[in-house]
């Protein structure tokens, strides 16, 4: 590979990296369980939110998750999630409620939202 090709490749990689970073702040992002775990392992300040029902949460949830059922988001988000600039990862059972929750939170002014989909795709174990 010639020097010009190497430079072009580096420039393209930098453009892609910068675009990827700016995309994070443009609205909610869909992430995989692996991406969510990597993010949480790297940053303990990330808030993990389970939007299932209390009985679903009690039957097994991801360690460190806070419960905020979908039907209570609008009334309780300000109390449970007071900092609208916090990085928040949302999950449910299969991914439907997490998408709804992220949309509601986005409309409420939360800035750093990630939809991790469903706990059914979480291979890292749960707690009770």
């Amino acid at each position: 590979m010639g020097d010009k090709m190497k430079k072009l490749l580096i420039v393209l990689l930098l453009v892609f990296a910068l675009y990827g970073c700016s995309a994070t702040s443009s609205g909610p992002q869909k992430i995989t369980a692996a991406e969510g775990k990597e993010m949480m392992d790297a940053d303990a300040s990330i808030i993990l939110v389970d939007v299932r029902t209390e009985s679903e949460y009690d039957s097994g949830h991801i360690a460190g998750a806070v419960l905020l059922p979908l039907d209570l988001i609008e009334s309780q988000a300000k109390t449970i999630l007071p900092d609208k600039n916090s990085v928040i990862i949302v999950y449910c059972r299969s991914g439907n409620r997490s998408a709804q929750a992220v949309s509601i939170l986005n409309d409420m002014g939360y800035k750093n939202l990630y939809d991790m989909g469903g706990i059914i795709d979480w291979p890292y174990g749960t707690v009770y």
Side-chain angles (χ1 to χ4, degrees):
M1 181 183 290
D3 283 342
K4 285 187 178 183
M5 287 297 291
K6 286 181 185 176
K7 288 180 183 176
L8 178 60
L9 182 59
I10 290 170
V11 168
L12 289 173
L13 288 172
L14 286 173
V15 168
F16 177 74
L18 290 174
Y19 173 76
C21 290
S22 67
T24 302
S25 61
S26 67
Q29 301 293 303
K30 180 77 174 144
I31 60 172
T32 65
E35 290 167 327
K37 181 160 182 3
E38 185 177 308
M39 289 171 65
M40 290 182 285
D41 287 348
D43 184 353
S45 71
I46 290 175
I47 301 168
L48 181 62
V49 177
D50 185 325
V51 296
R52 299 176 299 155
T53 65
E54 187 172 357
S55 63
E56 287 175 299
Y57 179 87
D58 290 344
S59 71
H61 57 274
I62 299 171
V66 296
L67 176 63
L68 180 57
L70 178 62
D71 60 345
L72 299 177
I73 284 182
E74 292 183 67
S75 64
Q76 294 187 4
K78 291 177 185 175
T79 302
I80 294 173
L81 307 169
D83 183 356
K84 291 186 177 185
N85 292 310
S86 294
V87 176
I88 299 169
I89 297 175
V90 179
Y91 75 93
C92 62
R93 186 189 68 78
S94 66
N96 292 326
R97 287 175 283 179
S98 65
Q100 293 174 45
V102 164
S103 178
I104 293 167
L105 290 169
N106 186 59
D107 290 347
M108 292 176 70
Y110 289 86
K111 306 288 184 207
N112 299 302
L113 298 167
Y114 294 87
D115 177 0
M116 192 168 66
I119 195 170
I120 60 174
D121 296 321
W122 180 260
Y124 308 106
T126 58
V127 297
Y128 301 93

